[in-house]
């Protein structure tokens, strides 16, 4: 490879070759601190763009040594490469596509945290959020959420929780998939008709995120089994389609001190609420002291 043919941009493949074959290659990361939560390339120097000229002089880098600069997507590093070229570093290159392209290519990523390389890639957008970051993602991976009902409410809830990295999902449902379910219950597809809903739900979750552990409960939730089912979970999501089960889950979560997320929808109307009795808040019975007669409540 003739490095003189490369412009100020360098592809991840060319950068990898240069790093592997030239031990004088200097790697420079110009990202902000919060962006580094997704990891970095091994043996990198961390220098902000506005400090680059002064800092690289302190490193005593030879003017003809290769310098590869990267940011998240390639914008800031392109400016940085031009800055270095202007002060005489003729082999300064911006990594095309930035660190994101490096990760997508499957090359090694180093992290100070506990997430694997695959997890850094999958959850990289979460790691950039101050509200989540690596600590928040680690908590999601350790969390356990039970969804009761694998229908119109349980399907999107389960898929989004799987996608965001909730480590364990429980699915409780005793019904089979019907053709009439397919217009809204996105856990299931046409080949799943007549299968148990929990089985097609498990398949859908594993397609989204194969790292999620899925616990299945092919049974009706009743007073005799509810405490045992909810016991191992941190949060219970009520996506059931009948009032009896909703009040049963509310009561069980109240006595177990677990957060209870209630949801219900009929046609274009819906309700939802989050109840956490351990925080001394209200429960569903505070809003609706007695269940309405069944004939007044469509599924």
């Amino acid at each position: 490879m003739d490095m003189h043919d490369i412009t100020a941009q360098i592809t991840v493949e060319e950068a990898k070759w240069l790093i592997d074959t030239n031990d004088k290659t200097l790697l420079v990361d110009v990202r902000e601190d919060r962006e580094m939560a997704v990891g970095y390339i091994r043996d990198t120097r961390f220098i902000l763009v506005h400090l680059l000229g002064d800092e690289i002089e302190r490193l005593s880098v030879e003017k003809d040594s290769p310098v590869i600069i990267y940011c998240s997507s390639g914008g800031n590093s392109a400016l940085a490469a031009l800055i270095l070229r202007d002060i005489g570093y003729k082999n300064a290159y911006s990594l095309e596509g930035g660190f994101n392209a490096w990760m997508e290519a499957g090359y090694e990523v180093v992290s100070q945290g506990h997430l694997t390389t695959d997890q850094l890639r999958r959850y990289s957008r979460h790691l950039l959020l101050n509200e989540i970051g690596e600590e928040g993602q680690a908590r999601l991976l350790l969390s356990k959420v039970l969804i009761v009902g694998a229908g119109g409410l349980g399907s999107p809830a389960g898929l989004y929780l799987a996608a965001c990295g909730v480590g364990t999902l429980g699915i409780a449902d005793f019904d089979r998939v019907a053709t009439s379910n397919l217009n809204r219950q996105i856990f299931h597809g046409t080949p799943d008709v007549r299968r148990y809903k929990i089985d097609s739900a498990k398949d859908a979750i594993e397609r989204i995120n194969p790292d999620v552990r899925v616990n299945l409960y092919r049974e009706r939730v009743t007073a005799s089994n509810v405490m045992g089912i909810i016991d191992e979970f941190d949060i219970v999501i009520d996506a059931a389609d009948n009032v009896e089960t909703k009040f049963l889950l509310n009561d069980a979560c109240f006595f177990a001190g677990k957060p209870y997320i209630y949801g219900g929808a009929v046609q274009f109307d819906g309700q939802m609420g989050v109840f956490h009795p351990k925080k001394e808040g209200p429960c569903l019975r505070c809003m609706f002291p007695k269940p309405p007669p069944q004939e007044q409540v469509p599924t």
Side-chain angles (χ1 to χ4, degrees):
M1 173 184 277
D2 183 359
M3 297 308 299
H4 294 290
D5 292 336
I6 300 177
T7 66
Q9 294 283 326
I10 187 171
T11 68
V12 291
E13 294 80 13
E14 292 166 338
K16 181 67 165 59
W17 177 86
L18 191 55
I19 292 167
D20 291 344
T21 59
N22 189 330
D23 59 7
K24 290 187 177 181
T25 301
L26 175 68
L27 277 166
V28 178
D29 186 328
V30 296
R31 294 175 297 167
E32 300 287 339
D33 287 347
R34 67 180 182 83
E35 298 175 288
M36 294 178 193
V38 299
Y40 54 90
I41 304 172
R42 187 178 297 279
D43 298 325
T44 286
R45 297 277 186 165
F46 304 98
I47 307 172
L48 295 176
V49 172
H50 69 279
L51 300 175
L52 187 57
D54 292 336
E55 291 295 325
I56 202 164
E57 293 289 343
R58 292 192 183 97
L59 293 175
S60 300
V61 179
E62 296 178 8
K63 290 291 180 82
D64 60 350
S65 294
V67 181
I68 300 174
I69 310 160
Y70 66 89
C71 58
S72 291
S73 58
N76 287 338
S77 60
L79 172 62
L82 293 176
I83 291 173
L84 289 189
R85 288 195 171 208
D86 283 345
I87 60 174
Y89 293 89
K90 60 183 179 181
N91 291 321
Y93 305 104
S94 169
L95 185 64
E96 187 176 350
F99 184 73
N100 294 339
W102 181 271
M103 283 204 304
E104 288 301 319
Y107 295 138
E108 181 189 21
V109 172
V110 180
S111 171
Q112 299 298 331
H114 302 291
L115 300 183
T116 67
T117 298
D118 286 342
Q119 288 170 337
L120 290 171
R121 292 193 185 101
R122 179 180 289 273
Y123 307 118
S124 61
R125 295 304 183 267
H126 277 177
L127 302 182
L128 296 175
L129 297 173
N130 293 331
E131 295 82 357
I132 301 179
E134 187 167 359
E135 180 182 352
Q137 189 61 54
R139 291 178 65 183
L140 283 171
L141 291 166
L142 292 173
S143 64
K144 300 177 180 180
V145 178
L146 173 68
I147 302 173
V148 179
L153 295 180
S155 293
L159 292 176
Y160 274 107
L161 290 174
C164 78
V166 168
T168 300
L169 285 175
I171 309 292
D173 200 305
F174 62 92
D175 204 2
R176 293 178 184 267
V177 179
T179 302
S180 60
N181 300 148
L182 301 180
N183 71 316
R184 66 198 183 282
Q185 300 184 15
I186 56 177
F187 265 152
H188 323 296
T190 301
D192 298 314
V193 171
R194 299 191 63 78
R195 293 181 73 198
Y196 282 106
K197 287 185 176 180
I198 59 170
D199 294 330
S200 50
K202 183 174 187 291
D203 290 347
I205 289 169
E206 291 179 344
R207 283 194 298 271
I208 292 285
N209 191 345
D211 290 337
V212 177
R213 177 186 172 196
V214 185
N215 296 341
L216 302 180
Y217 303 89
R218 198 181 73 194
E219 55 190 305
R220 186 187 294 273
V221 177
T222 66
S224 63
N225 65 15
V226 64
M227 298 305 290
I229 292 176
I230 73 171
D231 180 60
E232 72 167 290
F233 295 96
D234 305 312
I235 296 173
V236 176
I237 295 179
D238 168 13
D241 64 357
N242 65 88
V243 171
E244 288 84 357
T245 301
K246 293 184 179 300
F247 275 81
L248 175 63
L249 290 172
N250 171 78
D251 298 349
C253 290
F254 178 85
F255 289 111
K258 294 180 182 289
Y260 165 67
I261 300 177
Y262 153 84
V266 177
Q267 296 183 12
F268 292 101
D269 296 320
Q271 293 180 337
M272 68 85 60
V274 179
F275 305 98
H276 195 176
K278 196 171 183 179
K279 299 293 186 180
E280 299 182 354
C283 73
L284 185 64
R285 287 187 183 271
C286 297
M287 295 176 60
F288 308 108
K290 294 182 179 180
Q294 183 60 47
E295 64 271 13
Q296 294 182 10
V297 185
T299 59

